[in-house]
Every structure is written in C-alpha cells, then in structure tokens.
Amino acid sequence: MADSRKPIISGNWKMHHNHFEAIQCVQKLHYRLESDDFASVEVTVHPPFTDIRSIQTLIESDKMKIGLGAQNCHWEEKGAFTGEIAPAMLAKLDVGHVIVGHSERRELFGETDDSVNKKVKAVIANSMVPILCCGETLEERQQSMAEAKVQGQVREGLAGLSGEMVSKLVIAYEPIWAIGTGETATAEDAQAMCAEVRQVVREAHGDKAADAVRVQYGGSVKPGNIVELMSQPDIDGALVGGASLEADSFAAIVQYRNH
Ligand code: PGA
C-alpha cells in the first residue's frame, strides 16, 4: 500500500455478539493491542446496533483508540420507517464509520446501487465515513464479468460525490464467493481488483481522490493471509468478518506488521 494512506482494518461482526459479549471482545482487543498498532493502523469494530451504546461508553471511559462503526443505516433523517436507524442517530453515538452496501444486504435485503448511493451520501452528510462494499459472485467471476460488476457498483455507489468527499472514504472489495467460505482471493487477484476500484475512482473523481481513497480487501481474511494481502500496492486494509469475532485473531490481523 502507498505510504500516504493509513491502513484501516475493520471488524464486521454481522449478527454476532450481544452487548455483554461485545464489551468483553472489545476489552480483550484493547488489551491485546499496543499504542504502536494504533499509530500505524486505524482499527474499527462494527457491532450490531444494540451493542453500540455500550461500546461507545466503554471506548470513551477507557480512552480506547478503537474506532466505533455500524453495519448499515437508512438514508432519511427521520420519519415513518419502522425498523430503520437514521445516520444522525449513529453520529450521536460517536460512530465514525458505517458499512454501506455489504453483499449480504444487497443479496438478502434487496439493496440496490441507488439505495447504496443514498446511504453513502447520508453517512457523509452526518460527518461519518462510509465503507462502501462491492464484489462479484462466483458465477460473475467465472463468466469474466467480475470487473464490470465491480466497476458499476463503485461508479453508481459514488455517483454525485465530489472528489474531496471520495478522497476521505473507504471502499471494500469483497468477492462474494470468498465471504465466510474460507476461500480467499489470491493476493494477485485481490490486488488486481482493488487496483480496478482505484482506477474507477480515478476516472470518475480524479487523481487526488484515487490516490487518497483507501481500498480494503474482504473475504476470509485471517492472521495467515493478511501479510501477503497487505503487501499489495492497492490494498490499504481489510474488512474482516469471522476472524474479527475473536479478539486474539483480530488482534493478530491488526498486528500483521509483526508477523
Ligand atoms: P469473512 O467476512 O471475513 O467472514 O469472510 C467478510 C465480510 O463479509 O465482511
């Protein structure tokens, strides 16, 4: 990765850990990590909504440098949207990063590039950083459609944003066939697609945005494969699911520089 981009490693807990388990996990993670780790890597955890207030309190009272994130939000400010959470509600709880358009949300809950774009804008409007997810299915990869799929998701997800806005955000490339399967893209394939993501940003939002935007790889990231992934020039971090649920394995991923 380029020197100017600080790596960002994010734990996507999905629908795991109630608020007691979440507190324990963050305490253990904090204990495992050194201040050096935070100097060189930005670390965020994305617990379920019901845990966020508890983790906010913990981070604040113990002055932890772990960043608090969410996994989703709605794009409207408020209103009759039963079951939804407004971005301002998250910002009020010191949430700094919001995952937007994860493949599970797209595939299981019908999110479209258009709703993803609205969410990205709403997150930015509330001074938080979106982690915009993109990635292809196995079928799309086998039919050589992976690049076109990802290009479209990035272009449409970022539509209408200024280069300045794009330079501050995070894009996670996650091939769907590698999520939760134990199968990882090779470091070369991951690099090629992350470079492609950056190229789309370059064409649509200019050089400054492309050189500053951070691109994460996600999909079965583990302590055993993080070093090779992070040595790629266009991979600036990781979005980690399963291996982020255990503080030990997540800490080992964050500490990839020591391996
Ligand atoms: P995984 O999930 O690390 O368990 O493959 C990654 C993700 O879905 O963000």
Side-chain angles (χ1 to χ4, degrees):
M1 64 147 279
D3 289 345
S4 54
R5 299 190 293 266
K6 185 172 184 177
I8 174 163
I9 297 185
S10 305
N12 173 14
W13 290 358
K14 310 191 179 185
M15 201 168 72
H16 296 286
H17 287 344
N18 63 38
H19 72 290
F20 290 119
E21 294 160 339
I23 288 170
Q24 281 177 354
C25 186
V26 170
Q27 276 172 331
K28 207 166 159 193
L29 181 65
H30 176 68
Y31 179 76
R32 291 274 181 282
L33 296 177
E34 314 280 338
S35 53
D36 266 10
D37 297 322
F38 295 109
S40 36
V41 181
E42 188 170 357
V43 183
T44 68
V45 292
H46 300 251
F49 287 133
T50 50
D51 303 353
I52 287 181
R53 174 65 173 151
S54 308
I55 301 302
Q56 179 212 11
T57 308
L58 175 66
I59 287 175
E60 196 187 296
S61 63
D62 289 10
K63 299 191 173 43
M64 294 179 180
K65 290 190 177 129
I66 296 169
L68 180 55
Q71 301 172 18
N72 181 33
C73 67
H74 193 59
W75 59 84
E76 294 286 352
E77 272 173 44
K78 58 179 148 190
F81 303 103
T82 301
E84 293 294 331
I85 302 288
M89 296 170 179
L90 298 175
K92 193 81 181 157
L93 293 169
D94 297 334
V95 166
H97 295 74
V98 184
I99 298 170
V100 177
H102 189 278
S103 60
E104 285 149 20
R105 300 240 31 109
R106 294 178 191 256
E107 299 219 315
L108 305 173
F109 302 100
E111 289 196 11
T112 62
D113 285 331
D114 182 51
S115 61
V116 167
N117 179 243
K118 287 183 184 144
K119 290 182 182 196
V120 166
K121 288 175 175 161
V123 169
I124 294 173
N126 283 277
S127 305
M128 297 179 290
V129 175
I131 299 181
L132 168 65
C133 298
C134 59
E136 81 284 356
T137 62
L138 185 57
E139 211 180 19
E140 286 161 341
R141 173 153 285 258
Q142 285 165 344
Q143 294 171 355
S144 307
M145 284 161 53
E147 290 194 359
K149 166 81 174 289
V150 168
Q151 286 165 352
Q153 286 179 326
V154 174
R155 220 173 275 132
E156 291 178 42
L158 302 180
L161 299 187
S162 67
E164 166 82 16
M165 285 169 174
V166 174
S167 65
K168 297 196 185 101
L169 58 77
V170 179
I171 303 175
Y173 165 64
E174 300 199 299
I176 295 168
W177 47 271
I179 293 178
T181 59
E183 258 191 71
T184 329
T186 63
E188 292 73 32
D189 283 346
Q191 158 60 24
M193 290 300 281
C194 290
E196 190 56 46
V197 166
R198 198 178 305 285
Q199 185 54 27
V200 174
V201 170
R202 195 172 301 284
E203 283 159 20
H205 303 278
D207 287 338
K208 246 172 127 177
D211 294 337
V213 70
R214 289 178 295 172
V215 183
Q216 293 176 321
Y217 167 79
S220 299
V221 173
K222 300 184 262 304
N225 57 26
I226 185 70
V227 177
E228 206 189 355
L229 289 163
M230 290 305 288
S231 69
Q232 305 300 316
D234 286 293
I235 299 180
D236 308 312
L239 183 55
V240 187
S244 72
L245 292 171
E246 279 289 328
D248 285 341
S249 56
F250 193 45
I253 291 170
V254 170
Q255 293 170 328
Y256 68 93
R257 294 167 345 281
N258 308 344
H259 294 204

